[in-house]
Amino acid sequence: MDAARLRTGEAIAGISAVVLFIVMFLPWFGVDAEVPAGAEEAAEAIGVTIPDTSFNAWESFDFIDLVLLVTIVVAVGMAIATMTARTTALPVAASGLTAGLGILSTLLVLYRVVDPPEGLGREFWVFIGLIAAGGIAYGGWYAMQEEGTSFGAEADRLGDRTGGGDPPPPPPSPPSSQGPAA
């Protein structure tokens, strides 16, 4: 692996993906309840533990955490493929796939920042997760710019592979079997 092969966009997306993966294990949401002063010491004195009232991304989401995981895998995979100088035969550029999933992940996390799960309040790490998802989207988009591609070009490329492009030209007409007129 040669990290010098990474372009700026791929590095941003890859690093953001690693940060997002780590942050997903930290508290994103918590119960909005204050523990009275001295309650923790009193509970400890009698041998009772106060349950943890915070939830990480894995515990808070049903579907969004899986989208985030796929986004992380694609972004890290793009960076690793570049570092190992491997080419992959994808129907669209890896940078376009990373940018698209990054945008989707950013929107899903933003939705949960605006509308947290019922009964839970936002913790610090949800905002870091939002920034990391945005970093993946930006890194994927920047990598697309470095490659000289766009979402429109990738859509056209995908359409051509699935038969959605222009039809091929008709075959040439057969030559006439009649000889020259006398």
Side-chain angles (χ1 to χ4, degrees), residues 79-100:
I80 290 173
T82 300
M83 288 191 304
T84 59
R86 303 235 177 196
T87 58
T88 55
L90 297 173
V92 295
S95 58
L97 194 57
T98 301

Side-chain angles (χ1 to χ4, degrees), residues 54-92:
S54 62
F55 304 94
N56 62 30
W58 304 106
E59 298 165 330
S60 301
F61 303 131
D62 292 330
F63 168 72
I64 296 174
D65 58 342
L66 300 177
V67 173
L68 296 175
L69 181 61
V70 169
T71 303
I72 291 166
V73 169
V74 169
V76 170
M78 177 183 68
I80 290 173
T82 300
M83 288 191 304
T84 59
R86 303 235 177 196
T87 58
T88 55
L90 297 173
V92 295

